[in-house]
Amino acid sequence: MRMASTPLFVCAEIWHASTSLYQVHALSHLGVHCKLWTWIHASGTSFMHCRYRWRPEDAEWNFGCVLWLDLDPDQRVDSQGAVAHLLRDIVAAYSTATANSYSLGGIYVDSVANAQELLNYRNATLNNTHFPPVFDRAGRPVVLMLQNTVAFLEYLSRAVLVPRKGSLMGNGPFYPQTQYRFAPLFAVTGGETFWYRGQGTPFEPTPRELLALHRVMAYQRPYLPLQDSNFFDWTYDMSEQYHQVELTLGMWPGYFSGNAASFPYFANSTWYNRDRPLFKRYVPALRELNLAGWEPMTAAAVATATPPTQSRVWLERFGPHNGSIYITVRNEGRPDLAEAGLLIHIDTALLGMPSGRYSVLELTHGRQHQFDGGGEKGLTIVANSSTVGAVGINVTLALKVTLATI
């Protein structure tokens, strides 16, 4: 799904719903105790010794305890269970929006892949499940949490959101990396990332291999990394590197807080006003890349590099879209390229681009140059300081390639 526009994604949030977690923020009222007991009795999960799965937890984002609940959508017939409760809350949120003349873009599901490897030994669940049998290492039958979570999200999307033209947005669906089952369920995905813990710690961008996996899993749908770094020591240069790295794969860089709870970045005007020039520079470029749509085959290569050297130069393609293709170029290990320039060869025959003169625009700084080529011969772009820009170490160029004249 290509992103047709860039609206504010307004969400009704289910706190940890997809992870089968319910985080309790207040336990002081007797009514809350009774309500929780009905959910546990109807939807609780069990260890192998028949004890309900829960634990006390006090943290910045939770006070009280954490319960692991079974979200098999077949449980919706039980009005006391967690599934029925969640569905009632979601429908009520849409009704409230309609009554107050605003719209909801969809449902936000937090910590999607968390706890999906857990095994539920509860007899009531085993007796009613329609999933194929799964067994633990000792041969005991269990229900894998992942099975019910995927089924619940599929039902939620099909029965609740599609009729209301809503979408699912998920945080962390690809952690751990094996949870590919979540990929087709979400219109928008993202994940929290930790690049910088503060003074005396290294600045560590997300590894290239992990970024590539997230891009493949999301394909042409928006992917939103969420930065959970120490923003008290965070600098403008760090923000620019963050934008540059994410620009390579057309991902939208987001900001949260150092502990994923308190002192959020966007509550501090000093921080976001310092970085405002970066938002104004990179957001329009990211919008163009997302409208064009990422493609797994680049149809482009570094023209003069041997394979070991080429691996240090990262190319990605977006489009074609409205007569243009987009190539992002990132130099991760060739200091000489900033001075000598970089030759990028595009297989225009593969892309159906005819011979002619092509305009190449660098999106983030507005530099523009024209090159002749196309057709069977291909198109070679020279990136240096006198054309579309030099590709220095850890610099990303976003190039828009458009036929100017035939």
Side-chain angles (χ1 to χ4, degrees), residues 114-130:
N114 193 1
Q116 294 311 312
E117 75 286 353
L118 295 182
L119 305 178
N120 183 8
Y121 291 83
R122 189 178 181 187
N123 287 331
T125 306
L126 289 165
N127 290 336
N128 295 318
T129 185
H130 62 276

Side-chain angles (χ1 to χ4, degrees), residues 16 23-24 54-66 68:
H16 279 204
Q23 300 215 357
V24 184
W54 73 282
R55 72 164 184 263
E57 181 170 304
D58 289 339
E60 290 84 355
W61 52 84
N62 181 74
F63 176 74
C65 67
V66 177
W68 280 265

Side-chain angles (χ1 to χ4, degrees), residues 240-258:
E240 180 151 36
Q241 275 300 304
Y242 183 33
H243 280 76
Q244 289 259 315
V245 169
E246 305 300 345
L247 178 69
T248 312
L249 281 164
M251 297 175 175
W252 299 88
Y255 295 77
F256 190 18
S257 84

Side-chain angles (χ1 to χ4, degrees), residues 61 192-205 226-235 238 257-261:
W61 52 84
E192 291 171 66
T193 187
F194 310 87
W195 287 23
Y196 183 62
R197 301 291 186 178
Q199 291 185 3
T201 64
F203 182 73
E204 296 179 313
L226 189 60
Q227 189 66 246
D228 284 346
S229 285
N230 180 349
F231 294 118
F232 290 97
D233 298 327
W234 186 268
T235 66
M238 290 176 178
S257 84
N259 61 2

Side-chain angles (χ1 to χ4, degrees), residues 17 166 288 336 341:
E288 287 207 45
D336 57 303

